[in-house]
Amino acid sequence: MRLDQTDRGLAAAAPVGAFDSLDYVTVMIGDQTLGLPIGRVHDVFITNRITLVPRAPSEIVGLLNLRGRVVTAICLRRRLGRPATARQDREGKTELVAVGIDHEGEAYALIVDAVGEVMRLDQSTFETTPVHLDRNWAALTTGVHRLDDRLLVILDVDAILRLDLQAAA
């Protein structure tokens, strides 16, 4: 894994790999651990400089500049149907933890509560999305891994980034 410095000095970029990899970058939304396929993750960083976009869907937090590139920031909490929260540093500025992803030639930042570890899991622990999982969440997942002490919900990055921008306009 390559380490880079960005915005506030915290960043890690994952090597691009196969999308069906069983290696995941874990993120937290509330107390739920979620997995992003490591092949889709390019950066992990903290930012406090977001430009709001008027009349954008509520999931779009705004735009940010990441090493000279304009990045659309999407609140994963809101995308999953949870209320947004703000984290503030000692000076009262809002800090956002983000995972950088490229999708169809565009750069996105998924705003999350926290970033965890990189996990390599065996195919045998992967299961289809449980029928009792919230419908909003189920539409944005590819399945789950049953771990010893918790369930790791694997996110479908393409589904998360498929925002209905026409309806919002």
Side-chain angles (χ1 to χ4, degrees):
M1 185 173 292
R2 182 183 84 228
L3 293 177
D4 293 330
Q5 293 296 325
T6 62
D7 241 4
R8 298 289 314 273
L10 173 68
V16 177
F19 294 143
D20 60 353
S21 171
L22 294 180
D23 295 339
Y24 303 100
V25 174
T26 60
V27 298
M28 298 294 295
I29 296 295
D31 59 356
Q32 179 62 55
T33 306
L34 306 163
L36 293 166
I38 198 168
R40 300 296 301 267
V41 175
H42 292 281
D43 298 287
V44 173
F45 58 97
I46 294 176
T47 187
N48 62 5
R49 292 175 278 176
I50 299 275
T51 302
L52 299 178
V53 179
R55 301 179 52 97
S58 65
E59 294 98 337
I60 296 180
V61 176
L63 302 174
L64 59 95
N65 181 336
L66 181 62
R67 293 187 294 274
R69 192 169 182 197
V70 176
V71 177
T72 302
I74 296 174
C75 178
L76 189 55
R77 275 185 152 274
R78 289 182 188 157
R79 191 72 178 104
L80 292 170
R82 293 227 176 143
T85 61
R87 293 175 54 178
Q88 295 186 337
D89 66 11
R90 293 180 199 167
E91 299 167 1
K93 296 178 184 174
T94 300
E95 289 192 330
L96 301 172
V97 179
V99 177
I101 294 175
D102 283 332
H103 177 71
E104 296 180 357
E106 297 292 327
Y108 294 90
L110 294 179
I111 306 301
V112 298
D113 293 350
V115 175
E117 60 187 317
V118 173
M119 297 181 84
R120 173 167 283 169
L121 299 173
D122 189 78
Q123 180 82 27
S124 66
T125 64
F126 184 78
E127 300 177 15
T128 60
T129 303
V131 295
H132 62 275
L133 191 65
D134 177 271
R135 279 188 326 188
N136 294 331
W137 283 49
L140 302 175
T141 65
T142 59
V144 297
H145 280 276
R146 191 174 308 273
L147 306 177
D148 292 336
D149 59 342
R150 66 188 185 273
L151 196 65
L152 178 67
V153 178
I154 305 303
L155 296 173
D156 180 345
V157 175
D158 295 327
I160 289 169
L161 298 178
R162 199 175 304 120
L163 297 171
D164 191 358
L165 299 178
Q166 291 289 11

